[in-house]
Amino acid sequence: MHINEMLADAERTGHPSFSFEYFPPKTAQGVQNLYDRMERMYDFGPKFIDITWGAGGRIAELTCDMVVQAQAYFGLETCMHLTCTDMGEEKINDALRRAYKAGCTNILALRGDPPREKEKWVATDGGFQYARDLVAHIRKTYGNHFDIGVAGYPEGCDDNKDEDLLLDHLKEKVDMGATFIVTQMFYDADNFVRWVGKVRERGITIPIVPGIMPIATYASFMRRANHMNCKVPDGWMAALEPIKNDDAAVREAGKTLVAELCRKIMSAGIVHLHFYTMNLAQATRMVLEELDWMPTTTRPRKQALPWKQSLALGRREEDVRPIFWRNRNKSYVSRTQDWDEFPNGRWGDSRSPAFGELDAYGIGLTGTNESNRKRWGEPKSVQDIASLFVRYIQRELPSLPWSEAPLTSESDSITDDLIKLNQRGLLTINSQPAVDGVKSTHGVYGWGPPNGYVYQKAYLELLVSPELFPEVIRRINANPDLSYYAVTRSGQLTTNTPSDGPNAVTWGVFPGKEIVQPTIVESISFLAWKDEAFRLGIDWAHCHDANSPSRALIDKIMNEWYLINIVNNDFRQQRTIFELFDGLGVKDIDVPVTIPLRESGQTNGIHIEANGTSTVNGNGAVAGA
């Protein structure tokens, strides 16, 4: 989606909007930390993000990689910076091709700063002299595919303080095809409003997006203001100078000052603000909270579908997905990225493309062995593992091997039921409550256009011990409203479904549209998910030493237990799916795993190379307890 369209929507509705800027970190760990932060800040509700260009070498590559991540995996509309610095036409074209293939539709075209070793800016051989030349090249090469932004300078730039000359340059960039303007950071609202008037006097009518830098610490505030030759109002200095050594106090005062700046800007007719985050969340979040722009349960962030959409090339119209990857969005996008078409409207024939191989797409368990042992401990009994699941449900743990993010508020209505199941050794890895027609604007369950209604069937996916499995299946088959798929790591698929067709477990009814069915259960994708689910468990087991009780316990569960998904097709029944398990629980759940040494050196399929005694218990079951 073009930024121009987003800004027009904000103007039309009168609802203010905002966006974030990020820059490529210098270290691999910094990159991963930023990806985690970007995903969290997605929930703040930005209309788009932009990513700065690191001229030359690895950093330039990283900018392109970050655009792919943001578009494809985080569903963030992304604007890629592109500069003329150290960039010949061939490199420019390569960067544009990569942006196009990533699904990116917005570019911020800049001349760029001179390299550190040079005092003055000089064009690269075969490169572009000015930003206007870059704008013209993009427009000539890609037509209207890209919305093209350019920089505006309310207080001048490093090598030019002549306002009239800078406005002439801005007009030239617009004449070459620029469609929006993003300003350098500033803190003087009155000067910005004056400058906007001068811009409009030049006949420049495209949208202007002011750049705002939140205040994280006094030192960073002064460093950036001095670097940009940014005027700081006297009142700001009077408020911040006495508390400059107290970072918390500076952030508190800073949020008030910056929020007031934003209000003055908005009162002058601006509808969108662009925050220079410096890859940090707290100071930006505080300003948004002060402005009361953060999503809440009564004013939720709008989403078109109940899952996070990918904005990769060719995926914008995708509107159907299996529920199994509900907690592993990136994995699903990765394993389907080579498909020629994606499910749209109906699941139909799009079930047929093969899911990507697990190794090829790197979708196994993340984190080092040491970090995962620290996160999930060293379980020695089924109860220890069950306790991890309970802590996750209670939001005391941020993740599990099968869930890469914390549990959402959607599960609040079934939290007690989930806890009770896990306390008895029925390990739940995915679920959703039944929803019988709530408004599409509902703060927890809502999605899609306004004035619609959304529905959900109760869904439960869990690991079940082999001793409990026959009784669970008997109970499912006794209820005609329940359908299931079940499989072991190496076993045959069993099901009571009458066909291979998809079963919609989430759907919405909206004015003027066909019924939308965005989340389904079906066999082909479940078998693909089965391989991944058991692989994640094996990866977790292998975080522990080969002869350890934790390794033996997790391996045994992965090799012998069943993965079952259950749907209650009567969406008006909230509790039936949980009552199914009444009286069922793993026997000897609290008995630690022990492996007795036998003469053959083998026991329960586990090779023992060290002296010691133990036996793997805790996999029996008792019915009717």
Side-chain angles (χ1 to χ4, degrees), residues 72-301:
Y73 302 123
F74 303 150
L76 285 164
E77 204 71 68
T78 305
C79 176
M80 186 179 81
H81 287 211
L82 189 57
T83 75
C84 303
T85 303
D86 286 341
M87 295 287 287
E89 185 172 335
E90 185 177 345
K91 288 185 177 180
I92 290 286
N93 287 336
D94 181 63
L96 290 170
R97 276 193 298 270
R98 294 183 65 177
Y100 179 90
K101 290 180 179 179
C104 177
T105 59
N106 300 282
I107 299 289
L108 188 63
L110 307 164
R111 187 200 69 176
D113 297 326
R116 291 182 183 275
E117 66 274 10
K118 296 180 181 179
E119 291 187 8
K120 293 186 177 181
W121 197 91
V122 179
T124 300
D125 290 342
F128 299 100
Q129 180 71 34
Y130 301 111
R132 70 184 182 213
D133 303 323
L134 179 56
V135 172
H137 176 74
I138 297 170
R139 191 60 74 204
K140 178 182 177 182
T141 308
Y142 283 90
N144 292 324
H145 174 79
F146 290 112
D147 219 14
I148 305 174
V150 291
Y153 302 95
E155 297 179 337
C157 62
D158 285 347
D159 57 358
N160 192 345
K161 297 298 181 183
D162 186 330
E163 184 174 88
D164 287 332
L165 186 57
L166 286 170
L167 288 171
D168 289 342
H169 293 165
L170 183 59
K171 182 67 164 63
E172 291 170 356
K173 290 184 283 189
V174 173
D175 290 344
M176 289 296 103
T179 46
F180 65 96
I181 299 163
V182 180
T183 77
Q184 289 276 38
M185 61 173 282
F186 63 87
Y187 293 116
D188 187 339
D190 293 334
N191 181 66
F192 168 75
V193 173
R194 179 199 62 80
W195 178 81
V196 170
K198 298 275 284 185
V199 171
R200 298 310 185 207
E201 287 174 4
R202 294 296 180 105
I204 299 172
T205 59
I206 63 175
I208 297 172
V209 177
I212 308 297
M213 177 80 75
I215 299 174
T217 67
Y218 182 82
S220 64
F221 163 68
M222 291 303 299
R223 184 168 57 251
R224 295 300 300 172
N226 290 333
H227 177 71
M228 305 303 297
N229 294 313
C230 184
K231 179 186 174 183
V232 180
D234 293 339
W236 287 43
M237 295 305 299
L240 295 171
E241 178 73 23
I243 56 174
K244 63 182 180 181
N245 295 320
D246 186 337
D247 288 348
V250 167
R251 280 191 292 272
E252 280 294 321
K255 76 173 184 185
T256 303
L257 294 169
V258 174
E260 185 57 31
L261 168 70
C262 296
R263 293 187 185 100
K264 288 182 179 179
I265 293 169
M266 303 295 281
S267 68
I270 299 295
V271 297
H272 184 99
L273 304 178
H274 188 60
F275 289 97
Y276 296 120
T277 69
M278 300 305 292
N279 292 359
L280 301 172
Q282 185 178 15
T284 301
R285 176 182 54 76
M286 291 173 71
V287 172
L288 293 174
E289 288 174 341
E290 183 72 10
L291 293 167
D292 194 26
W293 288 0
M294 286 283 283
T296 64
T297 53
T298 57
R299 191 183 62 245
R301 177 178 53 79

Side-chain angles (χ1 to χ4, degrees), residues 183 241 244 349 384 434 469 519 542 569 593:
T183 77
E241 178 73 23
K244 63 182 180 181
D349 293 335
D384 290 343
F469 178 73
T519 316
H542 287 201
N569 294 291
V593 58

Side-chain angles (χ1 to χ4, degrees), residues 53-66:
W53 183 258
R58 186 189 68 84
I59 301 299
E61 289 284 321
L62 185 52
T63 295
C64 295
D65 290 344
M66 289 176 66

Side-chain angles (χ1 to χ4, degrees), residues 14 22 28 41 175 191 228 236 366 386 402 429 472 480 566 581:
Y22 301 103
M41 293 176 72
D175 290 344
N191 181 66
M228 305 303 297
W236 287 43
T366 59
W402 300 273
I429 63 176
V472 172
I566 307 167
F581 297 93

Side-chain angles (χ1 to χ4, degrees), residues 272-499:
H272 184 99
L273 304 178
H274 188 60
F275 289 97
Y276 296 120
T277 69
M278 300 305 292
N279 292 359
L280 301 172
Q282 185 178 15
T284 301
R285 176 182 54 76
M286 291 173 71
V287 172
L288 293 174
E289 288 174 341
E290 183 72 10
L291 293 167
D292 194 26
W293 288 0
M294 286 283 283
T296 64
T297 53
T298 57
R299 191 183 62 245
R301 177 178 53 79
K302 293 180 181 179
Q303 55 184 41
L305 294 165
W307 36 263
K308 189 180 292 184
Q309 290 176 280
S310 172
L311 301 181
L313 188 66
R315 297 195 81 135
R316 289 177 182 266
E317 302 305 316
E318 176 187 16
D319 65 5
V320 179
R321 280 190 191 173
I323 196 172
F324 314 120
W325 283 269
R326 175 192 181 96
N327 299 318
R328 287 180 57 80
N329 179 70
K330 182 177 179 180
S331 171
Y332 181 79
V333 173
S334 293
R335 294 187 66 188
T336 58
Q337 64 181 346
D338 291 332
W339 287 8
D340 293 327
E341 62 173 317
F342 299 93
N344 172 258
R346 305 272 181 201
W347 189 240
D349 293 335
S350 293
R351 294 181 300 145
S352 56
F355 284 81
E357 294 298 327
L358 303 184
D359 290 336
Y361 290 88
I363 52 77
L365 191 65
T366 59
T368 64
N369 290 352
E370 182 180 1
S371 66
N372 288 332
R373 288 195 301 270
K374 184 177 181 181
R375 181 181 297 121
W376 299 313
E378 299 188 17
K380 295 178 174 60
S381 67
V382 173
Q383 186 173 68
D384 290 343
I385 292 178
S387 295
L388 292 174
F389 280 71
V390 169
R391 290 177 60 205
Y392 174 73
I393 295 165
Q394 294 174 330
R395 297 182 174 86
E396 295 175 6
L397 280 178
S399 65
L400 287 174
W402 300 273
S403 300
E404 57 194 8
L407 209 61
T408 67
S409 58
E410 184 188 20
S411 297
D412 287 353
S413 64
I414 57 174
T415 293
D416 290 343
D417 293 305
L418 294 173
I419 289 173
K420 289 174 183 175
L421 286 181
N422 283 282
Q423 286 175 333
R424 304 201 305 274
L426 296 151
L427 306 177
T428 61
I429 63 176
N430 197 353
S431 60
Q432 74 174 23
V435 174
D436 183 9
V438 301
K439 293 285 286 183
S440 59
T441 52
H442 190 278
V444 176
Y445 304 113
W447 54 272
N451 303 316
Y453 286 87
V454 297
Y455 300 80
Q456 292 182 176
K457 297 175 183 176
Y459 174 81
L460 195 59
E461 184 178 333
L462 66 170
L463 291 163
V464 175
S465 75
E467 289 75 17
L468 284 174
F469 178 73
E471 176 62 15
V472 172
I473 299 306
R474 186 193 68 78
R475 295 183 182 192
I476 292 174
N477 287 330
N479 187 328
D481 291 328
L482 301 180
S483 57
Y484 80 94
Y485 290 96
V487 69
T488 60
R489 184 184 177 201
S490 58
Q492 293 273 325
L493 177 72
T494 61
T495 181
N496 66 350
T497 57
S499 71

